[in-house]
Amino acid sequence: MPPRFFVDTPLAGPAELSLPASAARHVQVLRLQPGSPLTLFDGSGDEWQAEVTAMGRSEVRVQLHARQLVNRELATALTLCVVMPANDRMDGIVEKATELGAVAIQPLMSERSVLRLQGDRAQKKQVHWQGVAIAAAEQCGRACVTQIHPVQTLAAWLSGLDGAAPARRWLLSPTAARPLAERAAGEPQPTLVLSGPEGGLSAAEEQAARERGFEALQLGPRILRADTAPLAVLGWVALQQG
């Protein structure tokens, strides 16, 4: 199977083009040669079959051949809204969520957050996580890349939902009475899944989410970690929809 690479510029062909620096580095690391086949995608949902035509020290040129329409996305456009866990666990969430088909991830900070990001540090983390999502999409075969939104506080993000496009809204809560399986049936529709940090959301934060249409759901009798719960929901949806 030819290696797959994301190209951060719209593709159109048939045409010959120079790969952007990031994709060119990957081609050089793999030591591909002129004539080597590869697959390119730009995040629009299509793939292009291509082949290397020239290798230089700083430039890799490829010839685009056939465009392929692919559909490897979930029927449910699901956005994970995650209060960021501590350490590097957010990297794992981004990687696995991309593999499982999340359309977007919204990193959040709440009252009990251990990890707090602002300014340049928050922007650098967003860029890093977008890179993690790109690498995961290249590996898993998706032709779309999970979008990583800028870091926000939970309060600011909830306020910004006023007037937003309609979407089903789920709040993961260990004290909720309704299990996920009861509410996830029916026709696929855009869905926001809000998941808290280590220690969970505060009572005031849960109430604020409920006031903006979030329905509290629980995932079973066990308390899942902050980096497990959102992926469990996404995995359940992915398995239901194939």
Side-chain angles (χ1 to χ4, degrees), residues 4-178:
R4 302 177 76 250
F5 301 109
F6 173 75
V7 177
D8 58 355
T9 187
L11 296 173
E16 188 176 19
L17 65 132
S18 293
L19 290 181
S22 58
R25 282 195 300 271
H26 288 306
V27 171
Q28 291 166 333
V29 167
L30 291 175
R31 298 187 177 181
L32 300 183
Q33 298 299 317
S36 296
L38 66 163
T39 301
L40 303 178
F41 66 102
D42 60 8
S44 65
D46 299 336
E47 290 181 341
W48 287 86
Q49 299 308 309
E51 77 175 83
V52 178
T53 58
M55 293 283 293
R57 288 187 176 182
S58 60
E59 183 183 37
V60 175
R61 294 192 64 79
V62 299
Q63 176 69 46
L64 295 180
H65 293 308
R67 183 177 70 171
Q68 295 181 326
L69 303 178
V70 298
N71 183 9
R72 302 184 183 116
E73 299 302 301
L74 297 178
T76 294
L78 193 148
T79 298
L80 291 184
C81 313
V82 182
V83 178
M84 300 174 294
N87 302 319
D88 294 325
R89 292 178 183 166
M90 194 67 183
D91 285 26
I93 291 177
V94 171
E95 179 183 76
K96 302 309 178 188
T98 301
E99 293 177 16
L100 290 167
V103 68
I105 297 176
Q106 174 61 67
L108 297 168
M109 295 180 292
S110 70
E111 293 179 17
R112 297 171 180 167
S113 288
V114 175
L115 179 61
R116 295 185 176 276
L117 301 172
Q118 292 181 334
D120 289 345
R121 189 169 173 229
Q123 293 177 0
K124 288 178 180 177
K125 276 294 188 181
Q126 181 191 4
V127 171
H128 167 73
W129 290 328
Q130 192 65 69
V132 172
I134 288 170
E138 289 176 337
Q139 181 275 324
C140 75
R142 288 183 67 185
C144 298
V145 178
T146 299
Q147 182 181 2
I148 312 301
H149 294 303
V151 177
Q152 293 193 62
T153 65
L154 176 60
W157 177 72
L158 287 173
S159 296
L161 291 179
D162 295 338
R168 182 170 54 184
R169 298 177 180 182
W170 294 340
L171 165 66
L172 303 187
S173 173
T175 60
R178 288 183 177 271

